[in-house]
């Protein structure tokens, strides 16, 4: 990679997807001397919104050699992704098998994101879901403390629960919200967490619309876009894992084509074999986080000179 991307798109992928993206960005920075905090635009979905908000707040991606110190500090002040994982694991245990079945129902809808009736169907399904009580207040509080603000560069995706349509907070004419509110909404998996209310409307996870929302990137002719898609190579043969992997690849392919038709140069990166093996299939498992971050870092170093980016 010879130049810093103009637009950085960061997809959903749970706590391990966040670790992989953070490590990869750190490795890419160290190999190229880019400062990815200076990208013209940062677009984040779900876990990717956490990474995007940290960059917008001026925080450099975590390096593997600082992960031990970071984990020591997290005993007192957990990282936002860690709080996200704790809440998700707790909610998933209470929901049991329903959480998996609901995920299996919603994932294929990403392929119909542009269909005229897609929003109506999505909204109807969201309204039929049980209303969880678990909230992501700790995540929102951590993002608020980071100092991240919508400065024209940061974009965070979510879905309007009532209308079923995608909303890109931080974009022109988008509803007003704080970054903390937008990130919490973008991470609010609707069958695990209570919707986030912003200006009288309820919002849920941007991943309900698309795993990356790449097509929402503010990009035109000559724009360089780098998209990280954590779930595009998730390992596993279970039906839901295969579905997540297949839908991510298909949705990203369609979205990348839309940007290329606008004249943008789009590169999509998924975890390589080493990173995918480190991540496994439970993307909310915090235990291998340091190993995943290191694998992402190594991939980022190699990405600087590799041509194997689709």
């Amino acid at each position: 990679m010879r130049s810093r991307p103009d637009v950085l798109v960061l997809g959903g992928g749970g706590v391990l997807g966040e670790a992989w993206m953070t490590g990869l960005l750190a490795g890419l920075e160290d190999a190229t001397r880019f400062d990815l905090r200076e990208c013209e635009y940062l677009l984040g979905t779900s876990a990717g919104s956490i990474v995007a908000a940290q960059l917008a707040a001026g925080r450099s991606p975590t390096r593997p050699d600082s992960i031990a110190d970071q984990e020591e500090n997290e005993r007192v002040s957990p990282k936002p992704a860690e709080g996200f994982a704790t809440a998700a694991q707790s909610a998933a245990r209470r929901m049991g098998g329903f959480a998996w079945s609901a995920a299996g129902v919603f994932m294929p809808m990403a392929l119909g994101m542009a269909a005229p009736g897609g929003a109506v169907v999505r909204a109807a399904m969201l309204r039929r879901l049980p209303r969880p009580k678990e909230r992501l207040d700790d995540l929102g509080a951590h993002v608020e403390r980071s100092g991240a603000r919508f400065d024209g560069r940061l974009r965070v995706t979510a879905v309007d629960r009532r209308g079923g349509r995608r909303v890109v907070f931080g974009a022109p004419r988008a509803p007003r919200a704080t970054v903390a509110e937008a990130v919490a909404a973008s991470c609010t998996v609707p069958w695990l967490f209570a919707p986030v209310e912003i200006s009288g409307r309820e919002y849920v996870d941007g991943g309900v619309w698309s795993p990356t929302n790449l097509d929402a990137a503010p990009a035109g002719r000559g724009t360089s876009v780098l998209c990280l898609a954590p779930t595009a190579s998730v390992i596993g043969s279970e039906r839901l894992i295969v579905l997540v992997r297949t839908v991510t690849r298909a949705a990203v392919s369609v979205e990348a084509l839309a940007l290329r038709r606008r004249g943008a140069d789009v590169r999509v990166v998924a975890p390589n074999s080493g990173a995918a093996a480190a991540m496994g299939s439970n993307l909310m498992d915090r235990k291998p986080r340091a190993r995943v971050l290191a694998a992402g870092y190594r991939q980022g170093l190699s990405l600087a000179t590799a041509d194997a980016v689709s």
Side-chain angles (χ1 to χ4, degrees):
M1 184 169 286
R2 297 180 180 178
S3 61
R4 187 188 69 228
D6 302 308
V7 182
L8 187 59
V9 178
L10 303 161
V15 68
L16 296 185
E18 181 268 346
W20 171 73
M21 289 185 286
T22 298
L24 186 143
L25 296 177
L28 184 59
E29 283 193 341
D30 288 352
T32 61
R33 301 304 174 191
F34 298 157
D35 187 341
L36 295 171
R37 295 170 296 182
E38 296 179 357
C39 289
E40 292 180 23
Y41 293 101
L42 302 162
L43 172 66
T45 293
S46 199
S49 71
I50 297 173
V51 182
Q54 296 297 300
L55 292 171
R59 299 191 176 189
S60 185
T62 302
R63 272 64 178 170
D65 58 3
S66 65
I67 192 68
D69 291 338
Q70 182 189 57
E71 288 179 338
E72 177 63 29
N73 292 334
E74 283 169 4
R75 295 192 181 108
V76 178
S77 178
K79 276 197 68 186
E82 296 293 309
F84 177 33
T86 300
Q89 289 169 339
S90 173
R93 280 194 296 270
R94 287 198 304 275
M95 297 297 287
F98 176 79
W100 291 102
S101 61
V105 169
F106 272 91
M107 274 305 296
M109 297 192 70
L111 297 179
M113 58 199 163
V120 175
V121 175
R122 189 179 284 105
M125 293 177 67
L126 286 170
R127 288 195 296 271
R128 285 201 297 268
L129 286 174
R131 196 177 187 87
K133 296 181 179 180
E134 190 87 34
R135 296 173 57 88
L136 291 173
D137 294 338
D138 288 347
L139 169 62
H142 188 105
V143 174
E144 184 64 35
R145 289 193 298 270
S146 76
R149 298 290 181 267
F150 283 119
D151 57 1
R153 299 184 309 134
L154 178 62
R155 309 287 170 90
V156 174
T157 67
V159 170
D160 184 321
R161 182 175 179 271
R162 181 176 180 182
R165 296 189 177 279
R166 178 174 66 191
V167 174
V168 184
F169 291 107
R173 297 180 296 280
R176 292 179 62 85
T178 67
V179 174
E181 289 172 332
V183 170
S186 190
C187 293
T188 294
V189 180
W191 49 91
L192 296 181
F193 303 117
V196 173
E197 184 173 326
I198 301 173
S199 300
R201 296 191 72 87
E202 294 181 333
Y203 297 93
V204 296
D205 198 323
V208 170
W209 186 272
S210 161
T212 65
N213 290 287
L214 173 58
D215 62 313
R221 187 165 301 281
T223 304
S224 172
V225 181
L226 174 61
C227 173
L228 304 188
T231 56
S233 55
V234 63
I235 291 177
S237 57
E238 295 181 13
R239 178 181 175 275
L240 180 59
I241 298 301
V242 173
L243 185 61
V244 168
R245 184 171 61 236
T246 302
V247 168
T248 299
R249 291 177 179 178
V252 168
S253 178
V254 171
E255 294 170 347
L257 179 60
L259 287 192
R260 289 174 179 136
R261 285 176 174 169
R262 296 184 216 163
D265 174 26
V266 182
R267 296 187 175 190
V268 178
V269 179
N272 61 16
S273 58
M279 292 169 72
S281 60
N282 182 0
L283 300 181
M284 284 297 184
D285 184 1
R286 292 173 293 169
K287 293 191 290 293
R289 183 173 176 273
R291 185 167 69 250
V292 171
L293 187 140
Y297 183 82
R298 290 191 296 271
Q299 185 176 355
L301 292 176
S302 65
L303 182 63
T305 54
D307 293 325
V309 182
S310 60

